[in-house]
Amino acid sequence: MGFSLLYIIIISMTLFSSDLIKKAKSSSSPEYTNLIYKGCARQQFSDPSGLYSQSLSVMYGSLVTQSTKTRFYKITTGTTSQTSITGLFQCRGDLSNNDCYNCVSRLPVLSGKLCGKTIAARVQLSGCYLLYEISGFAQISGMEMLYKTCAKNNVAGTGFEERRDTAFGVMQNGVVSGHGFYATTYESVYVLGQCEGDIGDSDCNVCVKNALEKAQVECGNSISGQIYLHKCFIAYKYYPNGVGPRGPSGSSSSRSSDSSSSSGATGKTVAIIVGGTAGVGFLVICLLFVKNLMRKKYDDY
């Protein structure tokens, strides 16, 4: 009976520890994989021969493979001009190669789930996006707004607009000089801007300027906002207490704050599991001690 009880306790505690590990892994999904928006063409492509599906699969594979080496990649696949598909991915400029891969590798599955086999699709996560379109798909302006989000909370008091607009100017100049990406915190306003990797500095400057102007109009005094145009996007957030994410050049980045919170959560989980394991060990020792006493008493008898 003693062995049965001991076995049950050990198995129960093992399953409990395993469950803790699983929960820790499921709750540690990084911030940069959050879904921002999807854009799906209404028309599904006709594919009786399977050529489109083959081109789409090859494109997905190439994009995921290249995401381990670069933050932007564009490719056209297909055996004929009629069945060709052009696709690209881009990662946020402050992501590492590993984070970029982790982000991009989720996009093919998400695209399939969210859009199916449409003739064009775009899926935007916090840290990366994927875009594809079949040959002949109608082109849209690079300045067209695809998505916006503005916080419901407004900034009270005076001086916010001037501070925000100055931060916008700093970021616009930084994106151009940084050749497509820049993030910084200026007077408690965190700003980030990025252009699609295949447009030049001049077009990037025009795109970011348009996005910033739309942010001023669309978001007003909102404490934060994001504006996504076809060829660029910008984001900002005001921190009244002066604490923001760590960014390039010593400012703050959502990436570094995200990794610190993730490691903190992991540390807590490890502490719980180690504590639980220590408790199991102590309990096993106690049970074995009692069992030996009972056996000795029985032998003496």
Side-chain angles (χ1 to χ4, degrees):
M1 180 177 178
F3 277 118
S4 299
L5 177 61
L6 179 61
Y7 180 77
I8 291 171
I9 292 174
I10 292 175
I11 292 297
S12 299
M13 292 304 295
T14 301
L15 292 175
F16 174 70
S17 299
S18 176
D19 185 55
L20 279 176
I21 295 172
K22 289 179 181 178
K23 287 182 178 179
K25 288 182 178 179
S26 64
S27 63
S28 62
S29 181
E31 164 273 335
Y32 57 78
T33 61
N34 293 338
L35 177 66
I36 302 297
Y37 75 90
K38 65 179 178 70
C40 311
R42 295 180 181 179
Q43 182 182 349
Q44 301 278 327
F45 56 74
S46 176
D47 193 25
S49 64
L51 291 177
Y52 277 122
S53 296
Q54 183 180 353
S55 296
L56 199 60
S57 178
V58 171
M59 180 206 69
Y60 283 151
S62 296
L63 295 182
V64 171
T65 299
Q66 291 298 320
S67 68
T68 63
K69 309 170 186 177
T70 182
R71 296 185 184 91
F72 175 81
Y73 186 72
K74 188 173 185 178
I75 186 174
T76 298
T77 61
T79 55
T80 67
S81 59
Q82 288 75 26
T83 60
S84 66
I85 298 179
T86 298
L88 64 85
F89 79 83
Q90 183 162 22
C91 288
R92 208 171 61 206
D94 57 348
L95 293 191
S96 67
N97 287 342
N98 186 58
D99 289 342
C100 182
Y101 167 77
N102 287 336
C103 191
V104 173
S105 61
R106 299 169 187 249
L107 290 172
V109 174
L110 275 176
S111 179
K113 287 183 178 180
L114 297 173
C115 296
K117 293 182 178 180
T118 56
I119 61 175
R122 178 173 180 140
V123 179
Q124 176 80 53
L125 305 185
S126 294
C128 65
Y129 70 90
L130 175 146
L131 165 68
Y132 78 82
E133 54 192 37
I134 68 169
S135 175
F137 183 76
Q139 299 298 302
I140 64 175
S141 167
M143 306 303 159
E144 182 172 335
M145 186 164 70
L146 304 178
Y147 180 81
K148 70 166 184 177
T149 176
C150 307
K152 295 180 179 179
N153 296 334
N154 291 327
V155 180
T158 59
F160 164 71
E161 288 190 4
E162 292 79 3
R163 184 176 297 185
R164 179 205 61 194
D165 292 348
T166 303
F168 280 178
V170 171
M171 185 262 283
Q172 182 180 346
N173 292 331
V175 170
V176 176
S177 61
H179 305 295
F181 176 81
Y182 187 74
T184 191
T185 300
Y186 180 85
E187 294 190 358
S188 303
V189 182
Y190 175 73
V191 285
L192 179 150
Q194 185 165 20
C195 293
E196 189 172 291
D198 59 350
I199 68 173
D201 291 343
S202 178
D203 289 337
C204 178
N205 182 51
V206 173
C207 191
V208 169
K209 181 181 179 183
N210 273 271
L212 294 174
E213 289 174 352
K214 290 184 184 298
Q216 292 167 332
V217 174
E218 300 288 343
C219 294
N221 288 331
S222 293
I223 198 167
S224 66
Q226 299 176 48
I227 302 292
Y228 291 84
L229 305 188
H230 182 45
K231 291 292 185 179
C232 68
F233 74 91
I234 65 97
Y236 78 91
K237 185 169 185 179
Y238 175 56
Y239 292 86
N241 60 3
V243 178
R246 271 205 194 280
S249 307
S251 48
S252 286
S253 103
S254 53
R255 182 168 164 250
S256 52
S257 63
D258 174 69
S259 60
S260 63
S261 62
S262 174
S263 61
T266 304
K268 291 178 182 177
T269 305
V270 170
I272 292 172
I273 294 173
V274 170
T277 305
V280 173
F282 179 73
L283 184 59
V284 169
I285 292 171
C286 290
L287 288 173
L288 290 174
F289 179 71
V290 171
K291 180 176 177 294
N292 288 332
L293 283 178
M294 292 180 67
R295 176 182 290 176
K296 183 177 180 183
K297 190 173 183 180
Y298 177 78
D299 293 341
D300 292 342
Y301 177 76

